[in-house]
Amino acid sequence: MNLRSIPFVCLGELLFLLLSGIPAADGQLRWSAQRKEAIEVRLIAVAVVYPRSSFFANDEVFIAEQELAKTESRFIKLVYDFLPYQSPLSSFGLDYSLVHRFNAVRDATCDETLWQMRNLAEQQRNSETIQAKWKYAVATPVTDLDRRQARLRCYRATSDDYEKAMREPTHEIPY
């Protein structure tokens, strides 16, 4: 093929693509934008603690109480992701009186009931690598999670979100 015919071949291919009726993407992909929202939670119990990995991301699953207003709250499932060199959330203190404020992403794919979470823990009880019993926070008034059947909204947070929120200045008056 000589050099003079290359532009004609490229032009022919371009015309073929334009006239063949193949639709363009036109921005039709609709990814769900994961929007972080500020939440305030009190940790009630550690539901699942997986063995820590030194190579991959680690998870802790908590049952927490999300404060919606001064007198209104709801139970949520909190999945806390952290890397091997970062601290787990349980290391900051598993105390009910401590209110944790950070940004988290609502993840509807991991919503489940307390009963489903308890059954999963019982199924994994034979596995020695996963902590099967729930570890309750200090001074928690909620000790009867086994009797509740509420469907928990799931939120995902990372160690970076938590540490960033800790460094942000607050507008609270300390005294």
Side-chain angles (χ1 to χ4, degrees):
M1 183 182 289
N2 60 18
L3 293 176
R4 292 182 196 165
S5 63
I6 291 177
F8 294 116
V9 171
C10 290
L11 181 64
E13 290 175 0
L14 182 64
L15 286 173
F16 174 74
L17 286 175
L18 291 175
L19 299 175
S20 65
I22 300 173
D26 292 333
Q28 293 297 318
L29 293 176
R30 288 186 169 71
W31 287 306
S32 60
Q34 292 185 345
R35 197 183 88 221
K36 292 184 180 181
E37 58 185 87
I39 61 172
E40 295 181 2
V41 298
R42 293 179 187 269
L43 300 179
I44 295 175
V46 178
V48 180
V49 176
Y50 296 102
R52 288 190 70 168
S53 168
S54 59
F55 297 107
F56 304 106
N58 299 292
D59 290 330
E60 284 183 321
V61 180
F62 294 92
I63 299 169
E65 184 177 15
Q66 181 183 11
E67 293 188 1
L68 303 173
K70 287 269 186 199
T71 59
E72 186 180 1
S73 64
R74 68 173 162 218
F75 291 137
I76 65 167
K77 175 182 172 183
L78 177 65
V79 180
Y80 185 79
D81 300 322
F82 60 99
L83 296 174
Y85 57 87
Q86 295 172 325
S87 300
L89 183 59
S90 58
S91 71
F92 292 105
L94 192 58
D95 187 0
Y96 182 79
S97 64
L98 182 63
V99 177
H100 301 273
R101 293 180 178 100
F102 51 89
N103 292 327
V105 175
R106 171 78 171 95
D107 185 6
T109 61
C110 67
D111 288 358
E112 61 185 341
T113 64
L114 287 166
W115 187 74
Q116 289 170 328
M117 291 177 73
R118 177 62 75 183
N119 280 345
L120 179 65
E122 287 175 5
Q123 289 173 359
Q124 295 171 342
R125 190 165 302 226
N126 296 334
S127 173
E128 295 177 9
T129 60
I130 296 175
Q131 177 183 333
K133 294 183 180 181
W134 291 356
K135 180 181 175 187
Y136 285 89
V138 176
T140 181
V142 182
T143 57
D144 61 342
L145 287 176
D146 294 333
R147 298 175 189 233
R148 300 176 189 241
Q149 298 303 316
R151 186 162 185 82
L152 303 180
R153 297 168 58 110
C154 182
Y155 287 88
R156 289 191 171 273
T158 64
S159 180
D160 293 334
D161 294 330
Y162 188 78
E163 290 174 7
K164 182 180 176 185
M166 285 179 52
R167 290 190 300 266
E168 288 180 357
T170 62
H171 300 291
E172 295 178 359
I173 300 172
Y175 300 105

